[in-house]
C-alpha cells in the first residue's frame, strides 16, 4: 500500500522508513500512527528485511512530536471523544515503535535537527541512535501545562534519571545539544547533516550482513531483560542462546566444513 505521511523502501535487507511531513516538522498524526502499524506488520513478516533505518525528510526537525491541530484533510493526533474514558484508554502512539509491535529486527534512528516530545516514542525503541551535529532534544509538555509521562518513562531505559528530569522540568527553556546527547549515551555517534543518512546506511549494511536469527535473538533477549529481575533475565538470556545458536551457527559450520574439505584436497 502507499502511504501519505511516510516513505517506505526495502533494499539489500534494509527497510528505510522516512517521516515525510516536512511542512509540519515531521510531526505525527493519527494517519501516521495508523501507517506505522501497517509498516511494522510488513516488516515483521518480510524475511527480506533484516534491519530498519528510520530517518526524516529534510527540514529543521527530525520530528517535533504530535500534531494536535491537523489541518485540511489531516487527522490530528487526538483521541476521539468516544474514547475519552479514563480507565478504557490505550496509547495509540505505541504503534510508532517496533518493540511495542513485536518487531525484533534492529532499528537505527538517524536524527537531524529538532527532536521533541513525542519523537521520543521513536528513540525509546531504537537500538542505535545517531544524530547530526545540529540536533537538539527537548520535551515541551510542561511548557504547555501538560503532564510529561509516557515519553520520559520510556526513556528511563536509555537516559540517566537526572538528565530526564532536567529535560522534562525545564520544558522549552532548555535544549539538549548533540554533544550532551552523546555524553549521556542517548546517541552513540554524531555526524554532519550531509553524512547522516550515508552513515546510517553503513551501520545498517553491517547488521544486514549478519545472521538474522543471531541478530533478532540478541535484540529480543536484551530488550526483554529490561523488564525482568536479574536472575530471571539471566535465565531468559540462556534460553535464547540455546535456541538461537544452533540455528545461526549451522550455516557457519557448513561453510567451515566446506573450506576444510577443500584444504584437504
Amino acid at each position: 500500500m502507499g502511504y501519505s505521511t511516510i516513505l517506505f523502501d526495502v533494499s539489500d535487507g534494509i527497510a528505510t522508513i522516512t517521516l515525510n511531513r516536512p511542512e509540519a516538522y515531521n510531526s505525527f498524526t493519527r494517519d501516521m500512527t495508523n501507517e506505522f502499524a501497517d509498516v511494522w506488520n510488513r516488516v515483521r513478516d518480510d524475511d527480506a528485511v533484516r534491519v530498519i533505518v528510520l530517518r526524516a525528510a529534510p527540514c529543521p526537525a527530525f520530528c517535533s512530536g504530535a500534531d494536535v491541530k491537523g489541518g485540511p484533510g489531516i487527522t490530528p493526533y487526538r483521541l476521539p471523544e468516544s474514547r475519552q474514558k479514563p480507565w478504557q484508554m490505550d496509547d495509540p502512539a505505541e504503534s510508532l515503535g517496533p518493540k511495542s509491535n513485536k518487531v525484533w529486527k534492529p532499528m537505527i534512528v538517524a536524527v537531524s535537527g529538532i527532536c521533541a516530545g513525542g519523537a521520543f516514542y521513536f528513540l525509546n525503541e531504537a537500538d542505535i541512535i545517531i544524530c547530526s551535529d545540529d540536533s537538539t532534544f527537548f520535551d515541551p509538555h510542561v511548557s504547555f501545562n501538560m503532564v510529561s509521562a509516557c515519553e520520559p518513562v520510556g526513556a528511563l531505559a536509555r537516559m540517566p534519571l537526572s538528565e530526564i528530569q532536567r529535560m522534562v522540568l525545564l520544558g522549552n527553556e532548555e535544549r539538549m545539544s548533540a554533544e550532551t546527547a552523546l555524553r549521556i549515551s542517548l546517541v552513540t555517534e554524531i555526524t554532519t547533516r550531509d553524512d547522516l543518512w550515508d552513515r546510517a546506511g553503513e551501520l545498517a549494511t553491517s547488521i544486514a550482513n549478519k545472521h538474522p536469527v543471531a541478530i533478532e535473538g540478541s535484540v529480543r533477549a536484551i530488550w526483554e531483560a529490561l523488564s525482568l529481575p536479574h536472575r530471571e533475565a539471566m535465565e531468559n538470556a540462556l534460553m535464547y542462546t540455546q535456541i538461537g545458536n544452533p540455528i545461526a551457527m549451522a550455516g557457519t559450520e557448513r561453510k567451515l566444513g566446506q573450506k576444510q574439505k577443500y584444504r584437504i584436497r
Side-chain angles (χ1 to χ4, degrees), residues 22-139:
E23 74 287 352
Y25 278 27
N26 294 312
S27 55
F28 61 84
T29 61
R30 177 70 59 187
D31 298 323
M32 185 181 287
T33 60
N34 292 339
E35 290 181 352
F36 263 100
D38 183 80
V39 162
W40 294 134
N41 283 330
R42 293 175 63 178
V43 167
R44 184 176 59 243
D45 296 336
D46 188 351
D47 291 338
V49 175
R50 296 191 172 194
V51 60
I52 304 144
V53 171
L54 176 66
R55 62 193 193 183
C59 76
F62 164 74
C63 176
S64 58
D67 183 346
V68 297
K69 295 181 179 179
I74 297 172
T75 307
Y77 176 77
R78 286 200 300 264
L79 289 172
E81 293 300 323
S82 61
R83 298 181 63 191
Q84 298 290 347
K85 299 177 181 179
W87 313 123
Q88 298 180 31
M89 293 194 302
D90 56 9
D91 183 356
E94 281 188 347
S95 62
L96 296 175
K99 310 306 185 294
S100 295
N101 291 271
K102 298 182 180 180
V103 175
W104 303 109
K105 298 173 183 183
M107 182 171 76
I108 299 168
V109 176
V111 176
S112 54
I114 293 169
C115 184
F120 274 80
Y121 276 100
F122 298 120
L123 305 190
N124 292 345
E125 296 198 13
D127 298 285
I128 297 174
I129 305 171
I130 65 174
C131 73
S132 60
D133 50 18
D134 63 345
S135 296
T136 56
F137 304 81
F138 63 101
D139 186 347

Side-chain angles (χ1 to χ4, degrees), residues 100-193:
S100 295
N101 291 271
K102 298 182 180 180
V103 175
W104 303 109
K105 298 173 183 183
M107 182 171 76
I108 299 168
V109 176
V111 176
S112 54
I114 293 169
C115 184
F120 274 80
Y121 276 100
F122 298 120
L123 305 190
N124 292 345
E125 296 198 13
D127 298 285
I128 297 174
I129 305 171
I130 65 174
C131 73
S132 60
D133 50 18
D134 63 345
S135 296
T136 56
F137 304 81
F138 63 101
D139 186 347
H141 282 87
V142 298
S143 294
F144 296 98
N145 299 326
M146 299 171 64
V147 173
S148 180
C150 295
E151 295 89 345
V153 170
L156 284 170
R158 67 182 335 121
M159 290 175 63
L161 176 61
S162 59
E163 297 289 348
I164 293 174
Q165 294 289 69
R166 182 182 179 97
M167 179 179 70
V168 167
L169 298 178
L170 291 177
N172 271 336
E173 295 178 18
E174 183 170 279
R175 311 292 174 95
M176 182 188 298
S177 67
E179 291 75 17
T180 299
L182 180 65
R183 175 179 59 79
I184 67 172
S185 298
L186 175 59
V187 306
T188 58
E189 187 174 342
I190 300 173
T191 75
T192 65
R193 183 179 280 255

